[in-house]
Amino acid sequence: MAGNNGFDIDELVEPDRVHRACYADEDIFEREIRHIFNKSWIYVGHESQIPKSGDYATTVIGRQPVIMVRHQDRSIHVLYNRCPHRGALLCTQKSGNTGSVFTCSYHSWQFKLDGKVRHIPIQGGYDNTRFSLDDPNFHMKPVARMEIYRGFVFSSLSTDGPDLKSWLGKAIAGIDDMCDRAPEGEVEVVPTCFRMIQKSNWKIFLENQLDSVHPSITHASTGLAAQKVEKEMEAETGRAPPLSYHYISAFAMELEKWGALDVVGHPNGHCVLQGYMGLRPNDPDTLEYEEVMRKNYGPDRTEEILDVNIHHLLVYPCLSIQSPLQQLRAVRPLASNKTLTEIWHFRLKGAPEAIYRRSLDYFYLVNSPSTMINADDLYNFWKCQVGLESDGGDWVSFHRNAGQDLVDDGVATSVIGFSELPMRNQFEAWRAYMTAEERT
């Protein structure tokens, strides 16, 4: 296995299995930060998080702390969260408003909202030195690249590579689907964000998102309990229970039905799960929403939008998007066995309040840290991590339906929803990122 770096990436990833070191080795994790998170496009935030001049939000790209800020001219900048004087963080809060300048709390250096130095104290002390207000070395450093697509802000720390839309490819459909479902064609973030530390490798979370075998097994007790309540409510009232109960009971769907789903693997590791959870009930709230959509888009375009067949989409390596329910989870790796996930949800601009409430219900019932769904998953993630760090075996199996995927022009479609195509597709991209230097 050993190479110049102590491991050989090509020997760790085979067509139907990967070595446990991919999840458990700290040297490999550090290489992931350098080769994947420092070079690909990473989700920073949504422009609606910073609506006013001086509004900012902080996050990390790989290990690099960054600030997303709204300038006075309405433009958005993504800057390293570092004072160029002595290296102090400029913003320590998750979000806020900095006014017209960033001011360092250590020595009061001040910077404009585009990062250029504005003022330093005791300026005469810099006369006849190499310091200059015009020298970019004394400005806040911008990230190498930043692009915005329909309000979603992505950055890359590398000057090289494809532009955002080319990199997203067909995965751009997840963002389009979410925004198109808004009568005004835009979404706005709901400020509440759930943040969770998972005691597991970041790839375990992404692999689980499109795993169609685990829901009716892992979440059976929760789903069956919800089904029981649904039946009792219908028997008592004679009416179908609220849609929110279906969010939970759907996890107890018969295993065979999960096999009817489609999973599609796209270049760069992006994946889509199609065919799950019908969300067009014939209730007054839905009918009101569809009427608003028809007024804004016309009947034909409305049907096109509402018939988009996406349940869950992965933007590898940083995002999990559930566009029909306006949910987004951002992945921030912290260590080989520790991952931060940020769980956001969005409001469809122009949609009736009841439609937003559906998104909010899913946010609380399925994606919040307190749900049984999340508890089930987090427990499994931790158990996988502990097992992968043991000496009980070296390989992780992705054999299910291996070699059977239908591949056309770089896009792979599963022959059955149970296929482990998403895992194989992600690791194909992982290997390409991790070996890019050696292959050039």
Side-chain angles (χ1 to χ4, degrees), residues 103-122:
T103 301
C104 182
S105 63
Y106 195 7
H107 296 96
S108 200
W109 281 39
Q110 292 186 337
F111 304 89
K112 301 175 185 178
L113 300 184
D114 61 2
K116 294 179 181 177
V117 64
R118 176 182 178 274
H119 174 76
I120 59 171
I122 321 174

Side-chain angles (χ1 to χ4, degrees), residues 87-101:
L89 292 174
L90 286 161
C91 298
T92 56
Q93 301 300 310
K94 291 294 183 186
S95 61
N97 187 289
T98 190
S100 60
V101 295

Side-chain angles (χ1 to χ4, degrees), residues 120-135:
I120 59 171
I122 321 174
Q123 194 162 334
Y126 293 90
D127 292 345
N128 302 314
T129 72
R130 292 192 295 170
F131 175 84
S132 169
L133 290 174
D134 297 323
D135 187 343

Side-chain angles (χ1 to χ4, degrees), residues 366-388:
V366 177
N367 284 338
S368 79
S370 61
T371 70
M372 290 305 298
I373 301 297
N374 247 329
D376 292 339
D377 284 333
L378 292 174
Y379 188 46
N380 277 343
F381 297 170
W382 170 76
K383 290 195 294 182
C384 286
Q385 189 67 37
V386 172
L388 290 165

